[in-house]
Amino acid sequence: MAIDPSVVDHVARLARLELTADERARLARQLSHILEYFARLDRLDTEGVEPTSHVVEMSNVFRDDVPGTPLPREVVLASAPEHEDGFFKVPPILEWEPQP
């Protein structure tokens, strides 16, 4: 199925894209090749093939959410560049000026 450049123009207008003549011609060729490929796929004999959502069998990789023993606060804070009163100290990310 050949895509007419006017179809590319229509899609480009809907997408608000400005295309040059070369781009329109190139995209028309590429879209035509894509549609030809889908047409080939459509002709494949898939009789007896089970529909699948993945090529390989998938299994759940989640583990049970089991609470563990937390690290002591001192150990966690020991790796921080700065800490104060038992909390991480970080530079401010928002500037704030008190209102008069």
Side-chain angles (χ1 to χ4, degrees):
M1 176 180 194
I3 294 288
D4 188 271
S6 66
V7 174
V8 176
D9 286 339
H10 178 70
V11 174
R13 189 173 44 256
L14 292 175
R16 297 179 187 215
L17 296 174
E18 292 183 24
L19 301 174
T20 65
D22 289 343
E23 290 171 327
R24 278 196 302 274
R26 181 172 43 88
L27 288 172
R29 281 192 311 272
Q30 290 176 344
L31 289 171
S32 296
H33 289 294
I34 291 170
L35 291 179
E36 288 169 15
Y37 186 74
F38 277 105
R40 285 177 51 196
L41 291 176
D42 198 35
R43 289 190 300 266
L44 288 175
D45 181 16
T46 57
E47 187 71 30
V49 177
E50 289 289 323
T52 59
S53 59
H54 295 283
V55 177
V56 295
E57 190 171 328
M58 303 292 288
S59 62
N60 189 356
V61 295
F62 295 118
R63 63 174 171 76
D64 291 333
D65 189 15
V66 179
T69 306
L71 292 172
R73 183 179 293 249
E74 302 80 35
V75 173
V76 173
L77 291 175
S79 62
E82 291 185 62
H83 57 89
E84 183 177 305
D85 297 330
F87 296 99
F88 291 105
K89 189 172 181 179
V90 296
I93 56 171
L94 298 174
E95 294 183 19
W96 179 76
E97 293 182 21
Q99 299 296 319

